[in-house]
Amino acid sequence: MAIDHISSLFAKLQALSTSDHGSVVSMNIFVALLCACIVIGHLLEENRWMNESITALVIGICTGILILMLSGGRSSHILVFSEDLFFIYLLPPIIFNAGFQVKKKQFFVNFITIMMFGAIGTLISCAIITYGVAKTFKKIGIRSLEIADYLAIGAIFSATDSVCTLQVLNQDETPLLYSLVFGEGVVNDATSVVLFNAIQSFDINQINPSIGLHFFGNFLYLFTTSTLLGVFTGLLSAYIIKKLYIGRHSTNREFALMMLMAYLSYMMAELCYLSGILTVFFCGITMSHYTWHNVSESSRITTKHAFATLSFVAETFIFLYVGMDALDIDKWRFASDRPATSLAVSSVLLGLVLAGRAAFVFLLSFISNITRKSSKEGISFRQQVIIWWAGLMRGAVSMALAYNQFTLLGHTAKRANAIMITSTITVVLVSTVVFGLMTKPLIRFLLPVPSGLTPKRKNSTANIVDSASPKAITVPFLSNGADSEANLEPQESSYGRTPRSIRDLLSTPTHSVHRLWRKFDNSFMRPVFGGRGFVPIERGTPTERNTQNQWH
Amino acid sequence: MAIDHISSLFAKLQALSTSDHGSVVSMNIFVALLCACIVIGHLLEENRWMNESITALVIGICTGILILMLSGGRSSHILVFSEDLFFIYLLPPIIFNAGFQVKKKQFFVNFITIMMFGAIGTLISCAIITYGVAKTFKKIGIRSLEIADYLAIGAIFSATDSVCTLQVLNQDETPLLYSLVFGEGVVNDATSVVLFNAIQSFDINQINPSIGLHFFGNFLYLFTTSTLLGVFTGLLSAYIIKKLYIGRHSTNREFALMMLMAYLSYMMAELCYLSGILTVFFCGITMSHYTWHNVSESSRITTKHAFATLSFVAETFIFLYVGMDALDIDKWRFASDRPATSLAVSSVLLGLVLAGRAAFVFLLSFISNITRKSSKEGISFRQQVIIWWAGLMRGAVSMALAYNQFTLLGHTAKRANAIMITSTITVVLVSTVVFGLMTKPLIRFLLPVPSGLTPKRKNSTANIVDSASPKAITVPFLSNGADSEANLEPQESSYGRTPRSIRDLLSTPTHSVHRLWRKFDNSFMRPVFGGRGFVPIERGTPTERNTQNQWH
């Protein structure tokens, strides 16, 4: 009876769903689910298997099942998956925050390795997946796809999802792995853009070395311009806030300006057909290096937490969304006619994702280890396994790209396309849930840390000014300027905590680049754009602080 | 040549405007303009005439003119005015923040006066405007409007725009006037909803006392349920955050939960056809009284500034938007045929707005003064003039309602409707720019304050933890718990600063209500829902703090 009543109520709501009131209903359910995800995610925090994204995904799937039952098998989602929503509103805050909170030192020390993984690795993976798909799909019974579709599949499934990476790897526990896998995820966005353009503009049948050169040139151009645009916007915000001293009148303007200019950098990159992800990532890095130090103390705390929160909400939103969308009945109708084919396609894709990533991770890690002088700083085999595993997840980006490729202009009616969509959903769910669930235990198994250290370090970034005890709040403000600043940095300074990394840094060839950069930064950039140690002259003497000015 | 080139470029962009790339262009321009508004608003901060909203409005109009010239008179706006965007995304953060930062003491002390202004005042104003419009429009030459349209015009133009009020009245300089005019703006939203429903459901020709009673009952029902929904959501958030101690793991969850639950309260009110504005306002008040005290220190700073910033960006967005939309060429085409009629309609409307507000402000202030025991706490004539003047502005809410009433279902083709739209725009622009520009000088003329006090008190809320000097940051954390808490409250505590208001408070009949509430709050509400003095036990003893627990 109750179910009947709810069912009829739901039918009424469904009928309304084209009207305004229907969208209000959907939004209510969605916002309530987001709240539930946050509370449940909090309760499961101590659980060693789960993470926030899997919680959201599972809640999304459960809601989808519930809606499917209540609506009598007619519908299972309350919001239609929209690429715009994803690429215009949800992705930019996540990537910006990643750049804003990234450990810059780790990122730039491993820059060459990251570039190799992101550019060459993605190409290798794409080639393997394309080749494998082209060889096997005909045998399975998928014949209507063209060579451009195969290439698109290669591009879609070769890209690591940086949002998923953020969920399974911890910047404080495994800084090297985090910077490698996440950095790769950011860089390969540029590769994907170049790949997609290449697929559309080049004649596939005439592959010769000049096209390879053209491709390489395109990648370099795209990477450089996207990065420069991000750095430029970040510097502009630093200059404006420093020069006009915006914080004099209100904190609100500083925060609003940082938020809007970061978003502007992303939109400008999209406008110029550049890689918005790369741009907003480097804008985040620049802002944390210069702008963040020019704003008032309360703005620092506010921006640090507010950007993290916006990113957190966007991430939860995406996984909830993907989970709810996964059960969309329309998509499964075609695929359900031939379950064996669907299963085969999904398995082949999963296998190729595993193989494609294995091929380049171990190969490129080997090359990277050869070029390094000392063996100590190389990537160990165990670390390679984690890099391979942690980058296997495919997420909302893959889904958005698959929708774009296989549902354009009513193209879905074709059976092969419908199967591609459902297979993509399967790969996304399996890789996120299964691979995701196993990443934390895998890391703990392969890289055991001294007990007691992990939980402490894990919370340290989030809780720097975060405890209810007054000591934790008072200390950063009472200690000398240099210390308090280091504690409040968006990314945690690791000096004095891991002295070995400084020694490592000294022995690498990147050190001379670093020294040159520091000199340039101190003598030219900081006087113009502010940054640590220049604007807040009142706190501590500049000399005190210069000893700590490494990579920040 | 350059203009030609830009013009052709613009034509190209215009052609693209239906595609995705076109909307990217629009968003780029819009976000860049928002940044410009913030920077220019900062530069004009010291100017005694301008305020943020007028700056944004003027920039919007200038951009509109520029686009009109570049596109050769074809188009003048880059984003189409959307009611949804306004009511679903922009209005909730503004009203929530107003509730979150309002001086609760002032608001509740004047509660009865605010209710009178918001409910009875709006009705008087609506009646006068409807009567005046019905009498004069036929003479001007507008004949196609019906009696429902006249009533709608009355409802549209009788509502004070709370967003505009926030811009011209300062909570710290003129707390009484701010709470009266802004509170009225919030309460009359409920009146407007009742009025609109009444217009649609009652037979206008059969007006009798029972309808009046029905109307009054509806208002009471709507007001009570909306308020209770807001309070309930606020208490729920306080309970969840206190019980689960969300801040233990991360600040992000606390902030995200507060933001999402506040938004949920607004959407739930809209879902149940209640007044979302009232709901989210009371949700803000409840959250600042309970939830805000349950979260970690960094969350307090973050939420305080982040909510203010979101509200600030939304406000700037609205005024920029209204400014750019004002020049939309399609709307002016009909009106331009008969400029004299348009001018007459606009003038009549402006006159009626002035008269309608004058009628109830002076009348109700007189009644309010009679009921108060001592004459000292009454509303002086000068204050009445400011209340009258500051509430004259009509803003985006009026525009959205006018669009809703006069452009429905291609209804715009009628000349009378087109003229109503352009007249609404004229009234909005004139009232916001002219009345807005003159409010600050008027207040300074009628209520002169000791020189030197104003700028200091004005910045005090914004800059409590906002200065670059270390003293301003350290002091709140170093002083004893009670003081530091008072300083960090979203609304500034006025105890010890204006001792007269405490004496006033003691002599009013509301004091006994206040005492009862405090008793109830301390003995029942706070143990369950947290709030000031209960969770942060570590800081200061509860006894110390209870002496200050008045209305907070």
Side-chain angles (χ1 to χ4, degrees), chain B residues 202-221:
Chain B
F202 292 133
D203 188 357
I204 316 288
N205 301 316
Q206 295 181 342
I207 292 172
N208 58 42
S210 85
I211 284 180
L213 215 67
H214 192 149
F215 186 91
F216 184 71
N218 264 352
F219 173 80
L220 268 191
Y221 164 78

mmCIF file with all atom_site columns, all heavy atoms in Angstrom, chain B residues 202-221:
data_model
loop_
_atom_site.group_PDB
_atom_site.id
_atom_site.type_symbol
_atom_site.label_atom_id
_atom_site.label_alt_id
_atom_site.label_comp_id
_atom_site.label_asym_id
_atom_site.label_entity_id
_atom_site.label_seq_id
_atom_site.pdbx_PDB_ins_code
_atom_site.Cartn_x
_atom_site.Cartn_y
_atom_site.Cartn_z
_atom_site.occupancy
_atom_site.B_iso_or_equiv
_atom_site.pdbx_formal_charge
_atom_site.auth_seq_id
_atom_site.auth_comp_id
_atom_site.auth_asym_id
_atom_site.auth_atom_id
_atom_site.pdbx_PDB_model_num
ATOM 1   N N   . PHE B 1 202 ? -8.848  34.149 -6.075  1.00 0.00 ? 202 PHE B N   1
ATOM 2   C CA  . PHE B 1 202 ? -10.089 34.787 -5.643  1.00 0.00 ? 202 PHE B CA  1
ATOM 3   C C   . PHE B 1 202 ? -10.792 35.477 -6.803  1.00 0.00 ? 202 PHE B C   1
ATOM 4   O O   . PHE B 1 202 ? -10.164 35.921 -7.760  1.00 0.00 ? 202 PHE B O   1
ATOM 5   C CB  . PHE B 1 202 ? -9.818  35.831 -4.548  1.00 0.00 ? 202 PHE B CB  1
ATOM 6   C CG  . PHE B 1 202 ? -9.360  35.220 -3.262  1.00 0.00 ? 202 PHE B CG  1
ATOM 7   C CD1 . PHE B 1 202 ? -8.263  35.737 -2.586  1.00 0.00 ? 202 PHE B CD1 1
ATOM 8   C CD2 . PHE B 1 202 ? -10.013 34.127 -2.725  1.00 0.00 ? 202 PHE B CD2 1
ATOM 9   C CE1 . PHE B 1 202 ? -7.842  35.180 -1.403  1.00 0.00 ? 202 PHE B CE1 1
ATOM 10  C CE2 . PHE B 1 202 ? -9.594  33.572 -1.537  1.00 0.00 ? 202 PHE B CE2 1
ATOM 11  C CZ  . PHE B 1 202 ? -8.498  34.094 -0.884  1.00 0.00 ? 202 PHE B CZ  1
ATOM 12  N N   . ASP B 1 203 ? -12.088 35.588 -6.660  1.00 0.00 ? 203 ASP B N   1
ATOM 13  C CA  . ASP B 1 203 ? -12.846 36.380 -7.621  1.00 0.00 ? 203 ASP B CA  1
ATOM 14  C C   . ASP B 1 203 ? -12.757 37.843 -7.186  1.00 0.00 ? 203 ASP B C   1
ATOM 15  O O   . ASP B 1 203 ? -13.220 38.212 -6.107  1.00 0.00 ? 203 ASP B O   1
ATOM 16  C CB  . ASP B 1 203 ? -14.309 35.902 -7.638  1.00 0.00 ? 203 ASP B CB  1
ATOM 17  C CG  . ASP B 1 203 ? -15.074 36.570 -8.769  1.00 0.00 ? 203 ASP B CG  1
ATOM 18  O OD1 . ASP B 1 203 ? -14.473 37.416 -9.463  1.00 0.00 ? 203 ASP B OD1 1
ATOM 19  O OD2 . ASP B 1 203 ? -16.254 36.232 -8.950  1.00 0.00 ? 203 ASP B OD2 1
ATOM 20  N N   . ILE B 1 204 ? -12.153 38.649 -8.028  1.00 0.00 ? 204 ILE B N   1
ATOM 21  C CA  . ILE B 1 204 ? -11.847 40.017 -7.638  1.00 0.00 ? 204 ILE B CA  1
ATOM 22  C C   . ILE B 1 204 ? -13.122 40.837 -7.376  1.00 0.00 ? 204 ILE B C   1
ATOM 23  O O   . ILE B 1 204 ? -13.149 41.729 -6.547  1.00 0.00 ? 204 ILE B O   1
ATOM 24  C CB  . ILE B 1 204 ? -11.028 40.724 -8.751  1.00 0.00 ? 204 ILE B CB  1
ATOM 25  C CG1 . ILE B 1 204 ? -9.942  39.813 -9.281  1.00 0.00 ? 204 ILE B CG1 1
ATOM 26  C CG2 . ILE B 1 204 ? -10.483 42.046 -8.261  1.00 0.00 ? 204 ILE B CG2 1
ATOM 27  C CD1 . ILE B 1 204 ? -8.800  39.572 -8.387  1.00 0.00 ? 204 ILE B CD1 1
ATOM 28  N N   . ASN B 1 205 ? -14.174 40.500 -8.112  1.00 0.00 ? 205 ASN B N   1
ATOM 29  C CA  . ASN B 1 205 ? -15.375 41.334 -8.039  1.00 0.00 ? 205 ASN B CA  1
ATOM 30  C C   . ASN B 1 205 ? -16.161 41.133 -6.745  1.00 0.00 ? 205 ASN B C   1
ATOM 31  O O   . ASN B 1 205 ? -17.000 41.950 -6.401  1.00 0.00 ? 205 ASN B O   1
ATOM 32  C CB  . ASN B 1 205 ? -16.276 41.044 -9.246  1.00 0.00 ? 205 ASN B CB  1
ATOM 33  C CG  . ASN B 1 205 ? -15.545 41.323 -10.547 1.00 0.00 ? 205 ASN B CG  1
ATOM 34  O OD1 . ASN B 1 205 ? -14.862 42.345 -10.664 1.00 0.00 ? 205 ASN B OD1 1
ATOM 35  N ND2 . ASN B 1 205 ? -15.648 40.417 -11.511 1.00 0.00 ? 205 ASN B ND2 1
ATOM 36  N N   . GLN B 1 206 ? -15.909 40.047 -6.071  1.00 0.00 ? 206 GLN B N   1
ATOM 37  C CA  . GLN B 1 206 ? -16.662 39.789 -4.841  1.00 0.00 ? 206 GLN B CA  1
ATOM 38  C C   . GLN B 1 206 ? -15.780 39.956 -3.614  1.00 0.00 ? 206 GLN B C   1
ATOM 39  O O   . GLN B 1 206 ? -15.346 38.980 -3.005  1.00 0.00 ? 206 GLN B O   1
ATOM 40  C CB  . GLN B 1 206 ? -17.244 38.378 -4.867  1.00 0.00 ? 206 GLN B CB  1
ATOM 41  C CG  . GLN B 1 206 ? -18.285 38.198 -5.970  1.00 0.00 ? 206 GLN B CG  1
ATOM 42  C CD  . GLN B 1 206 ? -18.864 36.816 -5.953  1.00 0.00 ? 206 GLN B CD  1
ATOM 43  O OE1 . GLN B 1 206 ? -18.300 35.897 -5.375  1.00 0.00 ? 206 GLN B OE1 1
ATOM 44  N NE2 . GLN B 1 206 ? -20.026 36.655 -6.596  1.00 0.00 ? 206 GLN B NE2 1
ATOM 45  N N   . ILE B 1 207 ? -15.508 41.176 -3.299  1.00 0.00 ? 207 ILE B N   1
ATOM 46  C CA  . ILE B 1 207 ? -14.661 41.420 -2.139  1.00 0.00 ? 207 ILE B CA  1
ATOM 47  C C   . ILE B 1 207 ? -15.546 41.590 -0.899  1.00 0.00 ? 207 ILE B C   1
ATOM 48  O O   . ILE B 1 207 ? -16.407 42.461 -0.849  1.00 0.00 ? 207 ILE B O   1
ATOM 49  C CB  . ILE B 1 207 ? -13.776 42.668 -2.351  1.00 0.00 ? 207 ILE B CB  1
ATOM 50  C CG1 . ILE B 1 207 ? -12.759 42.365 -3.444  1.00 0.00 ? 207 ILE B CG1 1
ATOM 51  C CG2 . ILE B 1 207 ? -13.067 43.060 -1.057  1.00 0.00 ? 207 ILE B CG2 1
ATOM 52  C CD1 . ILE B 1 207 ? -11.946 43.539 -3.885  1.00 0.00 ? 207 ILE B CD1 1
ATOM 53  N N   . ASN B 1 208 ? -15.354 40.744 0.074   1.00 0.00 ? 208 ASN B N   1
ATOM 54  C CA  . ASN B 1 208 ? -16.115 40.870 1.323   1.00 0.00 ? 208 ASN B CA  1
ATOM 55  C C   . ASN B 1 208 ? -15.214 40.527 2.503   1.00 0.00 ? 208 ASN B C   1
ATOM 56  O O   . ASN B 1 208 ? -14.090 40.045 2.319   1.00 0.00 ? 208 ASN B O   1
ATOM 57  C CB  . ASN B 1 208 ? -17.368 39.967 1.278   1.00 0.00 ? 208 ASN B CB  1
ATOM 58  C CG  . ASN B 1 208 ? -16.993 38.511 1.040   1.00 0.00 ? 208 ASN B CG  1
ATOM 59  O OD1 . ASN B 1 208 ? -16.037 38.011 1.622   1.00 0.00 ? 208 ASN B OD1 1
ATOM 60  N ND2 . ASN B 1 208 ? -17.738 37.843 0.177   1.00 0.00 ? 208 ASN B ND2 1
ATOM 61  N N   . PRO B 1 209 ? -15.674 40.783 3.715   1.00 0.00 ? 209 PRO B N   1
ATOM 62  C CA  . PRO B 1 209 ? -14.792 40.592 4.891   1.00 0.00 ? 209 PRO B CA  1
ATOM 63  C C   . PRO B 1 209 ? -14.234 39.183 5.017   1.00 0.00 ? 209 PRO B C   1
ATOM 64  O O   . PRO B 1 209 ? -13.093 39.023 5.476   1.00 0.00 ? 209 PRO B O   1
ATOM 65  C CB  . PRO B 1 209 ? -15.714 40.912 6.068   1.00 0.00 ? 209 PRO B CB  1
ATOM 66  C CG  . PRO B 1 209 ? -16.756 41.800 5.496   1.00 0.00 ? 209 PRO B CG  1
ATOM 67  C CD  . PRO B 1 209 ? -16.974 41.365 4.084   1.00 0.00 ? 209 PRO B CD  1
ATOM 68  N N   . SER B 1 210 ? -14.974 38.168 4.602   1.00 0.00 ? 210 SER B N   1
ATOM 69  C CA  . SER B 1 210 ? -14.481 36.800 4.794   1.00 0.00 ? 210 SER B CA  1
ATOM 70  C C   . SER B 1 210 ? -13.228 36.558 3.956   1.00 0.00 ? 210 SER B C   1
ATOM 71  O O   . SER B 1 210 ? -12.336 35.801 4.332   1.00 0.00 ? 210 SER B O   1
ATOM 72  C CB  . SER B 1 210 ? -15.564 35.782 4.435   1.00 0.00 ? 210 SER B CB  1
ATOM 73  O OG  . SER B 1 210 ? -15.560 35.516 3.052   1.00 0.00 ? 210 SER B OG  1
ATOM 74  N N   . ILE B 1 211 ? -13.169 37.233 2.805   1.00 0.00 ? 211 ILE B N   1
ATOM 75  C CA  . ILE B 1 211 ? -11.963 37.094 1.984   1.00 0.00 ? 211 ILE B CA  1
ATOM 76  C C   . ILE B 1 211 ? -10.777 37.729 2.690   1.00 0.00 ? 211 ILE B C   1
ATOM 77  O O   . ILE B 1 211 ? -9.662  37.193 2.691   1.00 0.00 ? 211 ILE B O   1
ATOM 78  C CB  . ILE B 1 211 ? -12.197 37.715 0.591   1.00 0.00 ? 211 ILE B CB  1
ATOM 79  C CG1 . ILE B 1 211 ? -13.069 36.766 -0.234  1.00 0.00 ? 211 ILE B CG1 1
ATOM 80  C CG2 . ILE B 1 211 ? -10.874 37.980 -0.111  1.00 0.00 ? 211 ILE B CG2 1
ATOM 81  C CD1 . ILE B 1 211 ? -13.372 37.256 -1.623  1.00 0.00 ? 211 ILE B CD1 1
ATOM 82  N N   . GLY B 1 212 ? -11.032 38.853 3.317   1.00 0.00 ? 212 GLY B N   1
ATOM 83  C CA  . GLY B 1 212 ? -9.973  39.496 4.087   1.00 0.00 ? 212 GLY B CA  1
ATOM 84  C C   . GLY B 1 212 ? -9.448  38.571 5.175   1.00 0.00 ? 212 GLY B C   1
ATOM 85  O O   . GLY B 1 212 ? -8.235  38.449 5.380   1.00 0.00 ? 212 GLY B O   1
ATOM 86  N N   . LEU B 1 213 ? -10.373 37.901 5.837   1.00 0.00 ? 213 LEU B N   1
ATOM 87  C CA  . LEU B 1 213 ? -9.997  36.973 6.906   1.00 0.00 ? 213 LEU B CA  1
ATOM 88  C C   . LEU B 1 213 ? -9.215  35.791 6.343   1.00 0.00 ? 213 LEU B C   1
ATOM 89  O O   . LEU B 1 213 ? -8.192  35.379 6.892   1.00 0.00 ? 213 LEU B O   1
ATOM 90  C CB  . LEU B 1 213 ? -11.265 36.463 7.610   1.00 0.00 ? 213 LEU B CB  1
ATOM 91  C CG  . LEU B 1 213 ? -11.140 36.219 9.123   1.00 0.00 ? 213 LEU B CG  1
ATOM 92  C CD1 . LEU B 1 213 ? -10.936 37.543 9.850   1.00 0.00 ? 213 LEU B CD1 1
ATOM 93  C CD2 . LEU B 1 213 ? -12.374 35.504 9.641   1.00 0.00 ? 213 LEU B CD2 1
ATOM 94  N N   . HIS B 1 214 ? -9.733  35.271 5.228   1.00 0.00 ? 214 HIS B N   1
ATOM 95  C CA  . HIS B 1 214 ? -9.059  34.186 4.529   1.00 0.00 ? 214 HIS B CA  1
ATOM 96  C C   . HIS B 1 214 ? -7.616  34.596 4.187   1.00 0.00 ? 214 HIS B C   1
ATOM 97  O O   . HIS B 1 214 ? -6.653  33.854 4.398   1.00 0.00 ? 214 HIS B O   1
ATOM 98  C CB  . HIS B 1 214 ? -9.837  33.878 3.253   1.00 0.00 ? 214 HIS B CB  1
ATOM 99  C CG  . HIS B 1 214 ? -9.423  32.603 2.589   1.00 0.00 ? 214 HIS B CG  1
ATOM 100 N ND1 . HIS B 1 214 ? -10.276 31.812 1.865   1.00 0.00 ? 214 HIS B ND1 1
ATOM 101 C CD2 . HIS B 1 214 ? -8.244  31.969 2.543   1.00 0.00 ? 214 HIS B CD2 1
ATOM 102 C CE1 . HIS B 1 214 ? -9.650  30.778 1.412   1.00 0.00 ? 214 HIS B CE1 1
ATOM 103 N NE2 . HIS B 1 214 ? -8.406  30.841 1.808   1.00 0.00 ? 214 HIS B NE2 1
ATOM 104 N N   . PHE B 1 215 ? -7.511  35.806 3.664   1.00 0.00 ? 215 PHE B N   1
ATOM 105 C CA  . PHE B 1 215 ? -6.217  36.350 3.281   1.00 0.00 ? 215 PHE B CA  1
ATOM 106 C C   . PHE B 1 215 ? -5.283  36.407 4.483   1.00 0.00 ? 215 PHE B C   1
ATOM 107 O O   . PHE B 1 215 ? -4.134  35.979 4.420   1.00 0.00 ? 215 PHE B O   1
ATOM 108 C CB  . PHE B 1 215 ? -6.442  37.751 2.708   1.00 0.00 ? 215 PHE B CB  1
ATOM 109 C CG  . PHE B 1 215 ? -5.223  38.360 2.147   1.00 0.00 ? 215 PHE B CG  1
ATOM 110 C CD1 . PHE B 1 215 ? -4.908  38.190 0.800   1.00 0.00 ? 215 PHE B CD1 1
ATOM 111 C CD2 . PHE B 1 215 ? -4.385  39.106 2.937   1.00 0.00 ? 215 PHE B CD2 1
ATOM 112 C CE1 . PHE B 1 215 ? -3.763  38.755 0.285   1.00 0.00 ? 215 PHE B CE1 1
ATOM 113 C CE2 . PHE B 1 215 ? -3.234  39.664 2.417   1.00 0.00 ? 215 PHE B CE2 1
ATOM 114 C CZ  . PHE B 1 215 ? -2.928  39.488 1.092   1.00 0.00 ? 215 PHE B CZ  1
ATOM 115 N N   . PHE B 1 216 ? -5.804  36.928 5.595   1.00 0.00 ? 216 PHE B N   1
ATOM 116 C CA  . PHE B 1 216 ? -5.009  37.055 6.811   1.00 0.00 ? 216 PHE B CA  1
ATOM 117 C C   . PHE B 1 216 ? -4.573  35.667 7.307   1.00 0.00 ? 216 PHE B C   1
ATOM 118 O O   . PHE B 1 216 ? -3.414  35.467 7.687   1.00 0.00 ? 216 PHE B O   1
ATOM 119 C CB  . PHE B 1 216 ? -5.823  37.775 7.881   1.00 0.00 ? 216 PHE B CB  1
ATOM 120 C CG  . PHE B 1 216 ? -5.056  38.031 9.134   1.00 0.00 ? 216 PHE B CG  1
ATOM 121 C CD1 . PHE B 1 216 ? -4.034  38.981 9.161   1.00 0.00 ? 216 PHE B CD1 1
ATOM 122 C CD2 . PHE B 1 216 ? -5.327  37.322 10.291  1.00 0.00 ? 216 PHE B CD2 1
ATOM 123 C CE1 . PHE B 1 216 ? -3.318  39.214 10.311  1.00 0.00 ? 216 PHE B CE1 1
ATOM 124 C CE2 . PHE B 1 216 ? -4.607  37.548 11.453  1.00 0.00 ? 216 PHE B CE2 1
ATOM 125 C CZ  . PHE B 1 216 ? -3.607  38.504 11.465  1.00 0.00 ? 216 PHE B CZ  1
ATOM 126 N N   . GLY B 1 217 ? -5.495  34.724 7.253   1.00 0.00 ? 217 GLY B N   1
ATOM 127 C CA  . GLY B 1 217 ? -5.166  33.357 7.667   1.00 0.00 ? 217 GLY B CA  1
ATOM 128 C C   . GLY B 1 217 ? -4.076  32.766 6.799   1.00 0.00 ? 217 GLY B C   1
ATOM 129 O O   . GLY B 1 217 ? -3.117  32.156 7.294   1.00 0.00 ? 217 GLY B O   1
ATOM 130 N N   . ASN B 1 218 ? -4.208  32.981 5.493   1.00 0.00 ? 218 ASN B N   1
ATOM 131 C CA  . ASN B 1 218 ? -3.189  32.500 4.560   1.00 0.00 ? 218 ASN B CA  1
ATOM 132 C C   . ASN B 1 218 ? -1.817  33.071 4.882   1.00 0.00 ? 218 ASN B C   1
ATOM 133 O O   . ASN B 1 218 ? -0.820  32.362 4.877   1.00 0.00 ? 218 ASN B O   1
ATOM 134 C CB  . ASN B 1 218 ? -3.556  32.908 3.129   1.00 0.00 ? 218 ASN B CB  1
ATOM 135 C CG  . ASN B 1 218 ? -4.279  31.806 2.403   1.00 0.00 ? 218 ASN B CG  1
ATOM 136 O OD1 . ASN B 1 218 ? -4.374  30.687 2.909   1.00 0.00 ? 218 ASN B OD1 1
ATOM 137 N ND2 . ASN B 1 218 ? -4.785  32.098 1.237   1.00 0.00 ? 218 ASN B ND2 1
ATOM 138 N N   . PHE B 1 219 ? -1.800  34.366 5.141   1.00 0.00 ? 219 PHE B N   1
ATOM 139 C CA  . PHE B 1 219 ? -0.525  35.010 5.440   1.00 0.00 ? 219 PHE B CA  1
ATOM 140 C C   . PHE B 1 219 ? 0.092   34.402 6.689   1.00 0.00 ? 219 PHE B C   1
ATOM 141 O O   . PHE B 1 219 ? 1.274   34.066 6.705   1.00 0.00 ? 219 PHE B O   1
ATOM 142 C CB  . PHE B 1 219 ? -0.709  36.516 5.624   1.00 0.00 ? 219 PHE B CB  1
ATOM 143 C CG  . PHE B 1 219 ? 0.538   37.203 6.104   1.00 0.00 ? 219 PHE B CG  1
ATOM 144 C CD1 . PHE B 1 219 ? 1.554   37.515 5.220   1.00 0.00 ? 219 PHE B CD1 1
ATOM 145 C CD2 . PHE B 1 219 ? 0.715   37.490 7.449   1.00 0.00 ? 219 PHE B CD2 1
ATOM 146 C CE1 . PHE B 1 219 ? 2.711   38.112 5.659   1.00 0.00 ? 219 PHE B CE1 1
ATOM 147 C CE2 . PHE B 1 219 ? 1.878   38.086 7.891   1.00 0.00 ? 219 PHE B CE2 1
ATOM 148 C CZ  . PHE B 1 219 ? 2.872   38.397 7.000   1.00 0.00 ? 219 PHE B CZ  1
ATOM 149 N N   . LEU B 1 220 ? -0.738  34.267 7.745   1.00 0.00 ? 220 LEU B N   1
ATOM 150 C CA  . LEU B 1 220 ? -0.218  33.714 8.995   1.00 0.00 ? 220 LEU B CA  1
ATOM 151 C C   . LEU B 1 220 ? 0.308   32.299 8.785   1.00 0.00 ? 220 LEU B C   1
ATOM 152 O O   . LEU B 1 220 ? 1.384   31.948 9.264   1.00 0.00 ? 220 LEU B O   1
ATOM 153 C CB  . LEU B 1 220 ? -1.316  33.687 10.059  1.00 0.00 ? 220 LEU B CB  1
ATOM 154 C CG  . LEU B 1 220 ? -1.404  34.904 10.969  1.00 0.00 ? 220 LEU B CG  1
ATOM 155 C CD1 . LEU B 1 220 ? -2.343  34.622 12.117  1.00 0.00 ? 220 LEU B CD1 1
ATOM 156 C CD2 . LEU B 1 220 ? -0.022  35.297 11.493  1.00 0.00 ? 220 LEU B CD2 1
ATOM 157 N N   . TYR B 1 221 ? -0.459  31.490 8.035   1.00 0.00 ? 221 TYR B N   1
ATOM 158 C CA  . TYR B 1 221 ? -0.040  30.116 7.761   1.00 0.00 ? 221 TYR B CA  1
ATOM 159 C C   . TYR B 1 221 ? 1.301   30.099 7.038   1.00 0.00 ? 221 TYR B C   1
ATOM 160 O O   . TYR B 1 221 ? 2.239   29.396 7.412   1.00 0.00 ? 221 TYR B O   1
ATOM 161 C CB  . TYR B 1 221 ? -1.106  29.411 6.923   1.00 0.00 ? 221 TYR B CB  1
ATOM 162 C CG  . TYR B 1 221 ? -0.642  28.145 6.273   1.00 0.00 ? 221 TYR B CG  1
ATOM 163 C CD1 . TYR B 1 221 ? -0.526  26.962 7.011   1.00 0.00 ? 221 TYR B CD1 1
ATOM 164 C CD2 . TYR B 1 221 ? -0.293  28.119 4.927   1.00 0.00 ? 221 TYR B CD2 1
ATOM 165 C CE1 . TYR B 1 221 ? -0.073  25.804 6.413   1.00 0.00 ? 221 TYR B CE1 1
ATOM 166 C CE2 . TYR B 1 221 ? 0.159   26.958 4.332   1.00 0.00 ? 221 TYR B CE2 1
ATOM 167 C CZ  . TYR B 1 221 ? 0.270   25.807 5.077   1.00 0.00 ? 221 TYR B CZ  1
ATOM 168 O OH  . TYR B 1 221 ? 0.724   24.661 4.493   1.00 0.00 ? 221 TYR B OH  1
#
